[in-house]
Amino acid sequence: MEDAYARSVTEVLDFFGVDPTKGLTDSQVAENTRIYGKNVLPQEASTPFWKLVLKQFDDLLVKILIVAALVSFILALIDGETGLTAFLEPSVILMILAANAAVGVITETNAEKALQELRAYQADIATVLRNGCFSILPATELVPGDIVEVGVGCKVPADMRMIEMLSNQLRVDQAILTGESCSVEKDLESTLRTNAVYQDKTNILFSGTVVVAGRARAVVVGVGSNTAMGGIRDAMLRTEDEVTPLKKKLDEFGTFLAKVIAGICVLVWIVNIGHFRDPSHGGFLRGAIHYFKIAVALAVAAIPEGLPAVVTTCLALGTKRMARLNAIVRSLPSVETLGCTTVICSDKTGTLTTNMMSVSKICVVHSVHNGPVTSEYSVSGTTYAPEGIIFDGAGMQLEFPAQLPSLLHIVMCSALCNESTLQYNPDKGNYEKIGESTEVALRVLVEKVGLPGFDSMPYSLNMLSKHDRASYCNHYWENQFKKVAVLEFSRDRKMMSVLCSRKQLEIMFSKGAPESIISRCTNVLCNDDGSTVPLTVDVRAALESRFQSFAGKETLRCLALASKRMPSGQQSLSFEDEKDLTFIGLVGMLDPPREEVRNAMLSCISAGIRVIVVTGDNKSTAESLCHKIGAFDDLEEFVGRSYTASEFEELPALQRTLALQRMVLFTRVEPSHKRMLVEALQHQNEVVAMTGDGVNDAPALKKADIGIAMGSGTAVAKSASDMVLADDNFATIVAAVAEGRAIYNNTKQFIRYMISSNIGEVVCIFVAAVLGIPETLVPVQLLWVNLVTDGLPATAIGFNKQDSDVMKAKPRKVSEAVVTGWLFFRYLVIGAYVGLATIAGFVWWFVYFDNGPKLPYSELMNFDTCSTRNTTYPCSVFDDRHPSTVAMTVLVVVEMFNALNNLSENQSLLVIPPWSNLWLVASIFLTMLLHMLILYVKPLSILFSVTPLSWAEWKVVLYLSFPVIIIDEVLKFFSRNSRGMRFNFRYRTDLLPKKELRDK
């Protein structure tokens, strides 16, 4: 029954045909079970493991590598190779792909845990009326129409319509569903509002929420998937994980690269068709196979096998740095997504605020005869810690606040007319509440004011342990007075009272809504001399004015406190006693903003990131908070910036689009609204980060480009998120965004490094094939260079320091390619030099080296006909391992110099020297050590077809390698000047794949 909230109790009971005094009969239960099903969230079908595995190989570059590995293996068998040489290359390729697939499977398996966590919020048992008798049954057996009784501490077992109140009030904590900072009072009245949100359905108890006060009976109106919790589950199932901007751009670049590679491989094979019949190959077919092997080697050279591993490593390094900032990353790609975030949809309660209600203002009557009628005090401290200072109206600190009569009576009333508890948790290292947050705020106020008679209050209390300090002053007053009777809070009175006795003196303390308390007062306590005088019309008007200011302009939650002398020996209280009260004071409290949030907001503005505050709270309270934290840019008028969910839904389509572009505050929201907001922003090509802590936030967290859960939040929210804030602090998000931007910059640098190196390898093989000279590098050497000598420096580039102005730039556009046209031109120039230097080293050994054969260049080009001609040199010279070793060493050393070029995209090495990243220096040293190892250790040198080099050969290697730094310095110079920008425009459309609009 979807509209039970709008129907009367009688209509709902008649709909299900149930007698509220007897409950359902067994036959009705059976029938309703058949119609509505059981009260369980259905088990969702998980993706089969084999499908998850296959999904990881659905990538063009990966497919090319798999084909290359298989072809390499088949060709080795055709050539009669056996053992290690036949299996080495394909095995290494397949091991890399398997490792990358494993990471992907683990990531996707974690994503399905959110739906499993959702079941933890379902109640286990319920007290049900059936066949005229109450019994305790498993909550899964509930059906619509069941009459259920709930009380304090009960977890609501299904969506239920209230039918009978069994106590003065019923309050429910439904924060996991709506995000409201306080518990909600429930009633029996029908809700007449159209488009009612969960907060408006005050007669409905929602499945999974907890009763915190009172007792009531309700009729079940929704079970399983038809509950509010079931709606969240369905929303999560409909939400597909978004592909991160980096992954999207890497996929685009990979597809482009794959097409280029395929084209070059085919071109190399076709160019050499004339050489297929060369006698050295032993026939046309064997010649075709030989050049096909070269094409395969070209594919292996061109594809950066280590790129996925290096990207993963760089992101993992970022997660470690972010963990130190209290941001725990659950999904590695989300680290980079933060860097291009354009909108942060932030939950209010607990993220922008402390989620700890605290008293910030106190108003008392100063005197009815002299000076101003009322006095106002402000209170510092924004948490439950008993640490804060009382200031007077002039901003001066009160040394001994407890010596002022009104403040003294306020703390006495706050400590005694209170059902909450404040305690210190040594495990978490903070102070925690048990009970209503408003009552705990009063407990904390008692501790801040201190006790009378101490010369150094409240500083003397600092000598106590934190456990004793938590409630020391409260315990003092509780020991001074004996509680005799209590009148609990009720909806009609809007107040509570407690009768206390001390030294044969009976006194009643009352607290409640200001309008209820003040209307019952006939006297007032004066703060200047402690006298009690009649409450005049003028004084009452002054108090009403102050209350309106607190509640209106300052949006404080207000409570009034009062007392009354009772007849000696009285042992009970009645509602009749709550009159002729003496007014003590007015306290205003709020969930205060975190101190660091305002600066974090300013950082977001300078970084071009928009913040939208999303909350279930009411509009005026949220607007006041946004004003304090600077979200409204100090504007007085909030029109067009602040909307409730209902107001936003009523807007025409065009106005809704415009509203999204200006919106700063979104209030009175429920789960579907948060998800709707994320989708609407994504349709405007925004990259959205969404924060949340409740079950209600899970669908939006999953839908957002990056979902950020609170450390204190529910397990469902954490499982659906990409990142968890250990300290629940908005400022941590801003620090994480800066880290995300730095990671992206470093990612660009090592992609640039790896791609330019691979272009060098392609140029080397392609030029060698076109010139007709012997095979410069064998595939196993290319694999070693790609994985080890490229991989280590590329990973170390991830340690490049964050730029000082990283949060002053605007977010990069989602459509921005990882590799722009000008950058790709630079890749080509550097890559071409790397390839030509490698070829030059190879040719130098044959033609110019004093200890080499000193062949004419023409002989080198016709090496494949050596066996058919009379030559002055043995044909075995072409099998010498020295030239390929020189070529491989040039390739390694030139790439080490190129790694230094990537300390910054555009800054010179003179500005950012090598020692600014010691990890890179260490990785270059280690890479050269490993290269020496395969050169000079016998079994490895045979495996990689290399041999030791002489000093003369090493000198030529250095001469050929170093110029790469000079070339890149020239290119950086152009990048820093306007000409680089013109190159960017000119080459982008010619050399790169067309940018696609965000596919949402």
Side-chain angles (χ1 to χ4, degrees):
M1 189 177 187
E2 293 183 0
D3 62 345
Y5 64 90
R7 304 290 186 91
S8 67
V9 171
T10 306
E11 285 179 300
V12 175
L13 293 173
D14 289 345
F15 180 86
F16 292 110
V18 60
D19 183 341
T21 62
K22 294 181 180 178
L24 295 175
T25 63
D26 290 339
S27 59
Q28 285 178 306
V29 170
E31 178 64 14
N32 287 359
T33 302
R34 185 185 66 78
I35 295 171
Y36 301 107
K38 284 203 162 190
N39 185 30
V40 291
L41 292 177
Q43 181 78 38
E44 56 285 335
S46 58
T47 309
F49 182 76
W50 63 271
K51 276 191 176 180
L52 283 177
V53 173
L54 284 181
K55 185 180 174 183
Q56 310 310 315
F57 295 94
D58 187 21
D59 180 91
L60 197 53
L61 283 178
V62 170
K63 289 172 184 173
I64 290 176
L65 268 179
I66 292 172
V67 171
L70 293 175
V71 169
S72 176
F73 179 61
I74 292 166
L75 292 179
L77 292 181
I78 290 173
D79 282 353
E81 293 180 28
T82 56
L84 188 62
T85 53
F87 286 97
L88 180 65
E89 185 184 326
S91 299
V92 171
I93 293 173
L94 293 175
M95 279 169 60
I96 297 161
L97 296 177
N100 288 331
V103 172
V105 168
I106 291 167
T107 302
E108 296 204 25
T109 306
N110 285 338
E112 294 186 352
K113 288 183 180 176
L115 291 165
Q116 298 166 12
E117 297 279 6
L118 201 56
R119 294 193 183 86
Y121 291 88
Q122 292 180 286
D124 297 323
I125 57 173
T127 304
V128 190
L129 177 64
R130 286 183 182 172
N131 301 309
C133 297
F134 274 103
S135 57
I136 296 175
L137 299 175
T140 55
E141 294 184 12
L142 287 181
V143 294
D146 265 326
I147 305 297
V148 177
E149 188 170 303
V150 294
V152 177
C154 282
K155 188 180 284 185
V156 178
D159 280 9
M160 306 191 295
R161 168 67 160 89
M162 295 265 292
I163 61 171
E164 184 181 358
M165 194 80 75
L166 301 176
S167 61
N168 289 327
Q169 64 163 345
L170 185 85
R171 298 189 72 85
V172 177
D173 180 357
Q174 55 186 43
I176 64 164
L177 191 64
T178 61
E180 291 165 289
S181 53
C182 297
S183 60
V184 178
E185 191 173 345
K186 297 293 181 177
D187 56 39
L188 304 178
E189 301 303 317
S190 302
T191 303
L192 301 177
R193 291 191 60 162
T194 54
N195 297 327
V197 295
Y198 291 147
Q199 294 91 326
D200 298 327
K201 299 174 185 177
T202 54
N203 54 23
I204 300 290
L205 305 179
F206 297 106
S207 174
T209 61
V210 179
V211 178
V212 296
R215 199 161 64 91
R217 284 182 192 158
V219 59
V220 175
V221 295
V223 295
S225 294
N226 294 319
T227 62
M229 204 67 74
I232 290 172
R233 170 194 170 273
D234 293 342
M236 290 170 69
L237 281 175
R238 290 194 303 269
T239 303
E240 294 183 5
D241 290 331
E242 298 296 320
V243 179
T244 67
L246 178 63
K247 177 74 168 68
K248 205 174 281 185
K249 288 302 152 192
L250 284 179
D251 288 347
E252 283 180 20
F253 187 68
T255 304
F256 167 64
L257 199 60
K259 290 174 183 176
V260 172
I261 290 164
I264 293 174
C265 289
V266 171
L267 186 62
V268 166
W269 198 66
I270 292 172
V271 163
N272 285 284
I273 285 178
H275 296 285
F276 287 2
R277 296 185 183 278
D278 289 348
S280 60
H281 301 312
F284 182 86
L285 183 60
R286 285 198 167 273
I289 291 172
H290 171 78
Y291 286 103
F292 189 58
K293 282 180 74 175
I294 291 176
V296 170
L298 193 62
V300 174
I303 296 173
E305 293 90 349
L307 184 58
V310 175
V311 170
T312 302
T313 305
C314 186
L315 294 177
L317 291 172
T319 64
K320 287 190 71 175
R321 288 198 291 267
M322 289 168 79
R324 289 196 290 269
L325 300 171
N326 289 314
I328 295 132
V329 175
R330 296 185 66 258
S331 168
L332 282 182
S334 64
V335 177
E336 176 276 330
T337 309
L338 273 170
C340 56
T341 298
T342 58
V343 178
I344 298 174
C345 295
S346 176
D347 192 35
K348 177 184 80 73
T349 306
T351 308
L352 299 174
T353 67
T354 61
N355 196 20
M356 298 181 190
M357 196 68 77
S358 65
V359 174
S360 63
K361 290 288 180 70
I362 301 171
C363 174
V364 298
V365 174
H366 176 71
S367 171
V368 296
H369 306 297
N370 305 314
V373 175
T374 60
S375 293
E376 191 175 300
Y377 299 96
S378 56
V379 186
S380 69
T382 58
T383 67
Y384 290 143
E387 300 158 1
I389 298 169
I390 316 298
F391 299 94
D392 63 18
M396 300 297 292
Q397 179 181 340
L398 297 183
E399 291 295 329
F400 310 110
Q403 292 180 2
L404 296 172
S406 293
L407 290 182
L408 179 64
H409 281 76
I410 282 174
V411 298
M412 288 164 60
C413 182
S414 297
L416 297 166
C417 195
N418 203 314
E419 300 293 318
S420 67
T421 304
L422 178 66
Q423 63 185 22
Y424 180 72
N425 185 331
D427 295 329
K428 294 183 180 178
N430 58 16
Y431 293 88
E432 294 180 340
K433 71 175 176 100
I434 298 174
E436 284 288 332
S437 54
T438 51
E439 292 199 330
V440 178
L442 293 177
R443 290 263 185 227
V444 177
L445 175 64
V446 173
E447 300 300 324
K448 290 177 180 178
V449 172
L451 301 173
F454 281 69
D455 289 338
S456 56
M457 283 298 299
Y459 304 107
S460 57
L461 294 173
N462 294 334
M463 303 292 289
L464 300 170
S465 68
K466 290 188 175 181
H467 175 75
D468 293 333
R469 179 69 188 92
S471 295
Y472 184 84
C473 299
N474 281 278
H475 290 330
Y476 172 83
W477 293 117
E478 287 169 348
N479 291 332
Q480 289 290 312
F481 289 86
K482 177 186 175 185
K483 283 189 183 181
V484 178
V486 176
L487 274 181
E488 291 186 352
F489 181 93
S490 65
R491 290 183 62 239
D492 53 345
R493 290 160 43 245
K494 294 184 179 177
M495 62 183 292
M496 76 169 285
S497 299
V498 58
L499 177 62
C500 299
S501 174
R502 180 181 187 241
K503 297 178 181 178
Q504 299 181 342
L505 172 69
E506 270 67 41
I507 185 168
M508 181 180 74
F509 291 106
S510 301
K511 80 168 190 294
E515 60 269 26
S516 297
I517 294 289
I518 295 173
S519 65
R520 287 173 165 83
C521 289
T522 54
N523 296 301
V524 62
L525 178 68
C526 293
N527 196 37
D528 62 342
D529 57 5
S531 61
T532 299
V533 297
L535 180 58
T536 63
V537 175
D538 291 340
V539 174
R540 192 182 296 273
L543 290 174
E544 291 281 357
S545 173
R546 183 55 60 194
F547 164 54
Q548 294 302 328
S549 174
F550 278 11
K553 185 179 179 182
E554 299 184 53
T555 62
L556 300 178
R557 185 169 187 176
C558 297
L559 286 176
L561 309 174
S563 65
K564 180 182 179 182
R565 288 282 296 272
M566 305 299 288
S568 180
Q570 182 166 334
Q571 295 296 304
S572 63
L573 284 178
S574 68
F575 297 148
E576 290 299 315
D577 293 320
E578 293 180 326
K579 63 183 180 179
D580 298 327
L581 305 179
T582 298
F583 179 84
I584 300 173
L586 183 71
V587 295
M589 56 186 75
L590 78 164
D591 180 9
R594 292 177 181 270
E595 294 174 359
E596 58 275 19
V597 163
R598 189 172 182 87
N599 287 335
M601 281 282 178
L602 293 173
S603 293
C604 285
I605 292 168
S606 65
I609 300 170
R610 193 154 58 97
V611 179
I612 299 177
V613 179
V614 184
T615 178
D617 271 353
N618 67 65
K619 192 174 184 179
S620 59
T621 302
E623 283 180 347
S624 174
L625 173 88
C626 288
H627 190 66
K628 287 173 184 172
I629 63 176
F632 282 126
D633 298 332
D634 297 324
L635 295 175
E636 293 297 328
E637 198 55 54
F638 304 150
V639 177
R641 303 280 187 114
S642 173
Y643 295 89
T644 64
S646 301
E647 289 170 350
F648 184 74
E649 286 186 317
E650 289 168 4
L651 291 174
L654 180 59
Q655 287 186 30
R656 191 181 293 190
T657 302
L658 295 172
L660 276 172
Q661 295 170 0
R662 299 187 66 224
M663 183 188 289
V664 173
L665 179 61
F666 198 38
T667 53
R668 302 299 282 173
V669 299
E670 59 181 41
S672 59
H673 295 132
K674 292 187 176 184
R675 190 175 184 277
M676 173 200 71
L677 177 64
V678 171
E679 286 181 337
L681 288 167
Q682 287 176 335
H683 283 140
Q684 294 191 355
N685 289 337
E686 304 281 8
V687 179
V688 185
M690 167 65 80
T691 74
D693 56 0
V695 172
N696 61 312
D697 298 317
L701 289 173
K702 196 175 179 192
K703 178 64 181 170
D705 295 285
I706 174 161
I708 305 169
M710 302 299 109
S712 61
T714 61
V716 178
K718 291 177 188 174
S719 295
S721 67
D722 302 298
M723 191 172 89
V724 178
L725 298 184
D727 58 358
D728 295 7
N729 195 337
F730 179 80
T732 302
I733 302 174
V734 179
V737 168
E739 190 61 48
R741 290 185 173 191
I743 288 167
Y744 178 75
N745 291 339
N746 289 345
T747 302
K748 268 209 317 186
Q749 286 305 98
F750 69 64
I751 290 174
R752 174 189 165 208
Y753 167 67
M754 294 190 83
I755 299 296
S756 60
S757 299
N758 282 58
I759 288 173
E761 294 164 22
V762 170
V763 168
C764 169
I765 293 170
F766 183 74
V767 170
V770 170
L771 294 178
I773 62 177
E775 192 175 28
T776 313
L777 298 167
V778 296
V780 71
Q781 291 173 338
L782 290 170
L783 270 176
W784 172 261
V785 172
N786 283 353
L787 289 176
V788 182
T789 57
D790 281 1
L792 288 173
T795 304
I797 288 169
F799 286 96
N800 283 352
K801 289 182 180 177
Q802 190 182 109
D803 291 341
S804 57
D805 60 348
V806 73
M807 285 300 280
K808 292 178 182 173
K810 301 299 178 189
R812 75 176 193 278
K813 293 179 180 176
V814 179
S815 57
E816 179 185 307
V818 176
V819 182
T820 60
W822 167 245
L823 262 184
F824 193 71
F825 174 75
R826 285 172 61 177
Y827 289 177
L828 289 176
V829 173
I830 295 295
Y833 180 78
V834 170
L836 293 174
T838 305
I839 290 282
F842 185 82
V843 171
W844 167 83
W845 191 89
F846 277 108
V847 179
Y848 300 106
F849 184 40
D850 290 338
N851 295 331
K854 287 201 169 183
L855 301 177
Y857 184 69
S858 58
E859 289 293 319
L860 187 61
M861 290 180 66
N862 295 299
F863 78 99
D864 46 1
T865 59
C866 176
S867 58
T868 62
R869 296 182 287 111
N870 291 323
T871 58
T872 57
Y873 56 89
C875 290
S876 60
V877 72
F878 296 113
D879 296 324
D880 196 308
R881 286 182 294 170
H882 275 89
S884 66
T885 304
V886 170
M888 182 184 178
T889 305
V890 168
L891 183 61
V892 169
V893 176
V894 78
E895 288 183 8
M896 293 307 100
F897 283 124
N898 192 28
L900 293 176
N901 287 332
N902 288 278
L903 283 165
S904 172
E905 185 175 325
N906 294 317
Q907 289 297 327
S908 167
L909 272 173
L910 299 174
V911 176
I912 301 178
W915 51 87
S916 65
N917 185 346
L918 292 176
W919 286 102
L920 181 59
V921 175
S923 70
I924 291 172
F925 178 78
L926 180 59
T927 300
M928 291 309 300
L929 198 64
L930 290 170
H931 187 66
M932 296 285 190
L933 203 64
I934 67 167
L935 289 188
Y936 295 101
V937 175
K938 195 76 173 183
L940 291 174
S941 61
I942 295 169
L943 183 65
F944 288 97
S945 300
V946 292
T947 191
L949 298 180
S950 65
W951 173 237
E953 289 166 319
W954 271 108
K955 278 198 294 187
V956 170
V957 165
L958 291 172
Y959 287 146
L960 289 171
S961 303
F962 184 76
V964 76
I965 285 184
I966 299 169
I967 293 170
D968 201 51
E969 284 292 316
V970 172
L971 292 171
K972 283 179 179 180
F973 174 78
F974 282 110
S975 290
R976 291 193 298 271
N977 291 277
S978 58
R979 205 182 306 179
M981 297 301 290
R982 290 200 294 273
F983 270 119
N984 190 24
F985 174 79
R986 188 180 305 159
Y987 283 95
R988 185 181 303 236
T989 54
D990 297 336
L991 296 175
L992 289 183
K994 290 180 181 177
K995 295 179 193 172
E996 297 173 4
L997 291 174
R998 185 187 183 90
D999 181 21
K1000 287 287 176 192

